[in-house]
Amino acid sequence: LVFKKKENLFGLNLAKNDKSGSILLMEGYMDVISLHQAGIGNAAASLGTAFTPEQARLLKKYASKAVLCYDADQAGQRATLRAGEILTEAEMKTRVLTITDGKDPDEFINTKGPDMFRILVEEAKPLLMYRIDQVKKDYDLEDTEQTIEFIEKAAEILAEIRKPAERELYL
């Protein structure tokens, strides 16, 4: 009754004190631990559950931006899209960090180091661009019909943008 996983984030007690204004959201505890050990103090993760609206509301109390740093596998990509949807509903600025070589954040930071990880954070794409890139993978843009289908799917994503100025910029 006192403790609910869906309302807490692992490592938030440390990440909330970071001065960057953003929280790096990880899939796993080891990812968070590795980043903190490497001197990157704004990492947190959901507690063994999928990211929830309650966690988004909690996160928003401590940061204005979130960077999703989930694993590069299919499950991680699905989790990224779902968490991004929840963060968008919570009106948080959200970016997506893509880890090269299919590694998870823990493995990446232990092999490439914290400086290389910080570069990935700087290069993180806006959630909207990540979503469009994910859709783009399903189409052969050398084929006219598939290009049209891709544009229609991308337009559906762009139509979700609530702010007219932001929508116009992406268009």
Side-chain angles (χ1 to χ4, degrees):
L1 295 174
V2 177
F3 180 79
K4 296 178 183 163
K5 284 185 186 182
K6 71 178 187 171
E7 296 177 0
N8 291 284
L9 292 163
F10 178 79
L12 184 62
N13 60 317
L14 300 172
K16 70 181 183 179
N17 298 322
D18 186 82
K19 303 295 184 225
S20 68
S22 68
I23 300 284
L24 304 175
L25 279 175
M26 309 283 142
E27 262 186 286
Y29 305 149
M30 285 310 299
D31 298 325
V32 173
I33 292 167
S34 289
L35 266 69
H36 281 272
Q37 286 178 335
I40 299 172
N42 59 333
S46 54
L47 292 168
T49 58
F51 190 73
T52 65
E54 293 86 358
Q55 291 167 331
R57 282 192 291 279
L58 176 64
L59 191 62
K60 194 170 181 178
K61 290 179 183 179
Y62 300 106
S64 60
K65 296 180 271 185
V67 179
L68 294 168
C69 308
Y70 289 0
D71 297 353
D73 61 12
Q74 288 285 15
Q77 291 173 14
R78 283 192 302 277
T80 296
L81 292 171
R82 179 67 186 128
E85 194 176 295
I86 291 168
L87 289 164
T88 299
E89 283 298 313
E91 297 181 353
M92 283 197 72
K93 294 175 185 161
T94 306
R95 298 181 82 78
V96 179
L97 179 149
T98 303
I99 296 180
T100 55
D101 307 325
K103 297 178 179 6
D104 65 9
D106 171 47
E107 187 178 357
F108 184 91
I109 205 151
N110 287 318
T111 57
K112 305 279 185 173
D115 290 336
M116 290 299 293
F117 192 83
R118 285 184 184 95
I119 290 170
L120 290 182
V121 171
E122 290 299 317
E123 294 174 349
K125 291 181 180 181
L127 175 64
L128 188 78
M129 294 309 299
Y130 175 82
R131 289 179 62 200
I132 290 172
D133 286 347
Q134 291 301 107
V135 169
K136 188 187 293 186
K137 290 178 184 178
D138 296 335
Y139 296 95
D140 174 8
L141 299 182
E142 298 297 318
D143 179 282
T144 303
E145 288 179 18
Q146 288 195 37
T147 300
I148 292 168
E149 287 178 35
F150 163 69
I151 291 171
E152 289 171 350
K153 291 285 186 190
E156 289 173 16
I157 293 170
L158 294 171
E160 295 172 13
I161 300 172
R162 293 182 186 144
K163 297 176 183 172
E166 183 180 0
R167 186 180 318 116
E168 186 64 31
L169 180 66
Y170 279 110
L171 286 172

